[in-house]
Amino acid sequence: MSTCTSASASLAEPVAATAATARTWLLIEQPGPWGAKALGASRLDPATGRELERLADGAGTRVALIRRPGRHADLHLPRRHRVYLAHTAPGASWVRTAEVTDPAELTALDFTALGAGAHNGFGDAYDGAPLALVCTNGKRDRCCAVRGRPLAAELTASGGSEVWEVTHLGGHRFAPTMLVLPYGYTYGRVDAHHAKDVLEAARSGRMVLDGCRGRSAWDRPGQAADLAVRELTGEDRTAAVVVEAVERTDPAPSGDGTWAVRVAHVDGRVWEVTVAQVASLPPRPESCGAALGAPARMEVTGIERVAGGRGL
């Protein structure tokens, strides 16, 4: 039986510029089963889940549940929950961590400040290995479970990284998908060997371009421009490239259109990248069981060095 991942792969659908957008991630440990919309369908109190979603909406912060890889018994025992808070902006990336008895405590956080990069002393600084978050929520899409769980298990068995399963990273058809924190780069169609290379690079503040869906700190046009400049220059340092401005130009009634994206390098070089939104054809399912559709794709149509920028 065909799946959304096999359909996407057979069409050679690009993974670039498909990452979920979030400057800051709030990740809450919640063992046991997850529903399709896990914040309201898990052992987390549904009222707490709804309030966290409300607070995060429009604040630049994305909330997700995490659990350790392996078998997940449907336990009802009270326990403390590990929490990670991660900000992904270049040059200002950080991870904080704490344990809470009741996730409802997290509703007291200032979500707007979190999205802007201010943790306000939450928890303790996390200085361990990069966090690897692998999407495994089979209730959301079966491909995430079938492909994601073996990847999470193998990364855990190999050691050297802090590995968690996560409820949702978007882009089921690119499973297995993996988010790397603190830098916020997301990867699609990633196997264990590739994932280990990505995590090894992250340990030294670098990213791997192959299979990269984009940096969550940027919107989708910004993700496309960031990756295009990195491909042009060979730059892999996570803090070396910054999306300075994204301007919508020539919007089309259909929702397609173009953007002018200004991208700067820490050495002073600046580029203007033209990005167009186009429909992916022929139609394909965006998730298993869904009707055929033409998901939007960001296509870089031009990249030009801006005169007057510093650097070589």
Side-chain angles (χ1 to χ4, degrees), residues 13 155 179 216 300 303:
E13 182 179 2
L155 291 177
L179 168 69
S216 72
V300 173
I303 181 167

Coordinates of all heavy atoms in Angstrom, one line a residue, residues 13 155 179 216 300 303:
E13 N 10.2 15.0 -4.2 CA 9.7 16.3 -3.6 C 10.8 16.9 -2.7 O 11.3 16.2 -1.8 CB 8.5 16.1 -2.8 CG 7.9 17.4 -2.3 CD 6.6 17.2 -1.5 OE1 6.2 16.1 -1.4 OE2 6.1 18.2 -1.0
L155 N 19.3 5.8 17.5 CA 20.1 6.9 18.0 C 20.3 6.8 19.5 O 21.4 7.1 20.0 CB 19.4 8.3 17.7 CG 19.3 8.7 16.2 CD1 18.6 10.0 16.1 CD2 20.7 8.8 15.6
L179 N 14.2 17.2 14.6 CA 14.6 18.5 15.0 C 15.8 18.5 15.9 O 15.9 17.7 16.8 CB 13.4 19.2 15.7 CG 13.7 20.5 16.4 CD1 13.9 21.6 15.4 CD2 12.5 20.8 17.4
S216 N 13.9 26.6 12.1 CA 12.6 27.0 12.6 C 12.5 28.5 13.0 O 11.4 29.0 13.0 CB 12.2 26.1 13.8 OG 12.9 26.5 15.0
V300 N 13.7 29.0 -4.9 CA 14.6 30.1 -5.0 C 14.8 30.4 -6.5 O 15.3 29.6 -7.2 CB 15.9 29.8 -4.3 CG1 17.0 31.0 -4.6 CG2 15.7 29.7 -2.8
I303 N 19.4 34.9 -6.7 CA 20.2 35.2 -5.5 C 21.3 36.1 -6.0 O 22.0 35.8 -6.9 CB 20.8 33.9 -4.8 CG1 21.6 34.3 -3.6 CG2 21.6 33.1 -5.8 CD1 22.0 33.1 -2.7

